[in-house]
Amino acid sequence: QAVLAIDIGGTKTMACLVKEGKVIEEVQFATDHNLGPDGWIDAIATKVSNWRGSYGRVAAAVTGIVVDGNWQALNPATLNLPQDYPLIDRLRGTFGVDAIAVNDAQCAAWGEHRFGAGAQKDMVFLTISTGIGGGIVINGRLLQGTAGHFGLFQGYFECSHRPLEDSISGHWMHAEACKAGYELEAPVIFAAARSGAPWASHIIAISARRLAILCQNIQLALDPKCIVIGGGIGLAEGYIDQVRGAFTFPKISLRPTLVSAGLGRHAGVIGAADLAIAQSN
Ligand code: BMX
């Protein structure tokens, strides 16, 4: 039977029916920050009401962490959540089936490991989106809890008291564009750079340079076979090439191997569905 897999991120919410590692139905819409978790779950339930009966469990990939079924934000600047929101209970109550919930980037790491670009035993996944999420698979096992929260590393740039993602991610790009007088979101900043706007190219280049340092640090810590890059910014045209171009390790053999997410924006839902099935067996 299929799994109802949902992915709630700082910018987008997606709900899919997933069967045997494949998305068979999909809806996607913007995450309305004014609604809060009850509103997001209600919105999903309304949009997928005609899928009732075709899934046997719910799997949620969510930004933030879930501890003992309760959901919370680590960086409220990417998505503000009430403290300890009873996510698993609410999902069970709303959809009437058993539910699991795991961090979005950890789900995506698992999805990429099982069905995408990271089949090796040791791999790291990074999503560059509203924030920077990460997931680690070592020896074929997904590390859970706070593991992989690379975006939450303490920053070592001009805003050292803030999480690292606040000086790299889509959230940061938007803030920088505003400072330059353009109130634009990341996709439009990329479009502006393509049409030759120097302020936009500058923001993207700084983000890529900083991400290159983060990737090198991950390589030193975990020596993964590859770092799979996903997320709206990570998958934007030319971004990964800029990150590769900004590596500073002189020895090429020490540099990380970056690859694009094979499952694209579906990595989180596919991974979450697979984790739900593994848990039920
Ligand atoms: C933040 C953190 C991570 C998440 C990452 C990517 C919160 C709310 N989120 O680092 O848990 O994986 O953002 O999230 O603390 P996204 O919304 O950008 O996909």
Side-chain angles (χ1 to χ4, degrees):
Q1 208 180 15
V3 174
L4 169 61
I6 64 186
D7 187 339
I8 305 177
T11 305
K12 278 179 264 168
T13 293
M14 181 191 288
C16 297
L17 272 187
V18 178
K19 200 170 183 179
E20 287 155 17
K22 296 215 161 43
V23 170
I24 51 179
E25 296 280 357
E26 170 180 354
V27 292
Q28 190 181 297
F29 49 98
T31 306
D32 180 347
H33 286 215
N34 296 320
L35 286 182
D38 284 338
W40 302 325
I41 293 172
D42 286 348
I44 296 167
T46 306
K47 291 201 193 270
V48 307
S49 58
N50 56 339
W51 298 354
R52 223 167 233 283
S54 33
Y55 53 85
R57 41 190 54 235
V58 175
V62 292
T63 182
I65 58 166
V66 184
V67 179
D68 297 332
N70 296 324
W71 187 20
Q72 58 181 291
L74 292 175
N75 183 0
T78 59
L79 189 62
N80 202 1
L81 299 167
Q83 194 61 28
D84 290 331
Y85 178 81
L87 180 60
I88 302 262
D89 279 354
R90 293 290 159 87
L91 291 173
R92 281 195 192 120
T94 304
F95 297 101
V97 291
D98 207 1
I100 65 153
V102 176
N103 169 262
D104 55 357
Q106 290 172 347
C107 288
W110 187 247
E112 286 294 327
H113 173 69
R114 291 272 289 129
F115 305 102
Q120 292 90 347
K121 268 186 165 174
D122 296 344
M123 54 89 68
V124 164
F125 174 85
L126 278 182
T127 172
I128 323 302
S129 54
T130 321
I132 293 186
I136 305 170
V137 176
I138 295 286
N139 262 330
R141 195 171 74 87
L142 174 70
L143 305 189
Q144 295 200 26
T146 54
H149 270 87
F150 302 110
L152 272 290
F153 278 10
Q154 293 301 287
Y156 23 65
F157 302 108
E158 59 273 18
C159 44
S160 56
H161 57 292
R162 306 269 299 275
L164 192 55
E165 64 190 3
D166 287 3
S167 56
I168 304 178
S169 66
H171 182 63
W172 174 79
M173 287 184 171
H174 169 69
E176 285 301 292
C178 290
K179 277 191 216 158
Y182 306 93
E183 230 178 90
L184 303 172
E185 297 298 334
V188 193
I189 299 172
F190 275 90
R194 278 195 296 276
S195 44
W199 63 269
S201 307
H202 182 65
I203 292 172
I204 295 166
I206 294 177
S207 167
R209 247 188 347 251
R210 291 174 175 174
L211 191 73
I213 303 298
L214 177 62
C215 289
Q216 291 185 155
N217 287 340
I218 291 172
Q219 194 65 31
L220 289 175
L222 297 165
D223 196 24
K225 285 277 173 289
C226 64
I227 301 180
V228 180
I229 305 283
I233 289 157
L235 296 175
E237 201 187 316
Y239 185 78
I240 295 183
D241 282 337
Q242 283 204 52
V243 177
R244 288 192 189 105
F247 286 148
T248 54
F249 283 169
K251 267 197 130 185
I252 289 181
S253 59
L254 293 180
R255 294 183 191 172
T257 301
L258 303 186
V259 291
S260 301
L263 305 177
R265 63 204 163 87
H266 291 140
V269 285
I270 290 176
D274 196 63
L275 289 170
I277 289 183
Q279 212 179 66
S280 69
N281 290 333

